[in-house]
Amino acid sequence: MAATTAMNESESNSSRGMFRLVKFGLLALVVVSIVNLLVLSIGLALVAFPAEFVGGPFGPLAVGPVVVNSAIAAIGATLVYGVVSRFSGRPNRAFTIIAGVVLVLSFAMFLAPDISGAPPRLFAILAVMHVTAAVTIVAILTRATTQEGESR
């Protein structure tokens, strides 16, 4: 009887933890999309870009790709954070290190042939969006395991 009660409490805590992670993951998705759109808007207001980089739905500085890539980053980070928090005694620290490595690796994207001839100001705005996305996602997701003022 006590084992059944303990198992039910464990399942309840697990489902609450999963719900909390999903909630924070959705929050990260929305916030990182908004933050990157703000960075994009400010960047486009300050600097003129050739039409091929801004125009159309597929330019790297178009709204669609920015929102989609921000959402993909937030979803991927949420999944990684879920795995890390399950297997790590210090999930926030481990996740922050992983996120930092992924951020550095994301700059390899700037070597892609389709944007290799782009003006340096394009790379600057994309780099700022990558950094703000990483900082925003890490800041939000690491709060998912913080309960009652207790940080791990």
Side-chain angles (χ1 to χ4, degrees):
M1 184 79 140
T4 304
T5 304
M7 193 179 325
N8 288 340
E9 285 179 21
S10 174
E11 288 174 5
S12 176
N13 287 340
S14 177
S15 65
R16 271 187 275 158
M18 179 65 78
F19 175 75
R20 185 174 172 88
L21 179 61
V22 169
K23 182 174 73 171
F24 277 80
L26 289 173
L27 178 64
L29 188 152
V30 170
V31 173
V32 77
S33 295
I34 291 169
V35 167
N36 272 341
L37 287 174
L38 287 172
V39 171
L40 175 65
S41 297
I42 291 167
L44 292 178
L46 294 176
V47 181
F49 286 94
E52 72 240 31
F53 297 111
V54 181
F58 301 110
L61 295 179
V63 171
V66 169
V67 171
V68 168
N69 288 323
S70 296
I72 290 170
I75 292 167
T78 302
L79 293 172
V80 169
Y81 189 77
V83 170
V84 168
S85 64
R86 178 150 174 91
F87 295 108
S88 175
R90 297 176 67 187
N92 289 349
R93 182 175 191 269
F95 178 71
T96 302
I97 291 168
I98 292 168
V101 170
V102 170
L103 174 62
V104 169
L105 293 175
S106 77
F107 292 127
M109 179 272 307
F110 298 138
L111 302 175
D114 59 332
I115 64 169
S116 60
R121 57 191 183 266
L122 172 78
F123 296 116
I125 289 178
L126 289 174
V128 170
M129 286 194 287
H130 279 224
V131 171
T132 56
V135 169
T136 302
I137 291 169
V138 168
I140 291 171
L141 290 180
T142 55
R143 307 272 184 297
T145 56
T146 306
Q147 297 185 14
E148 300 168 17
E150 182 181 317
S151 181
R152 292 201 276 175

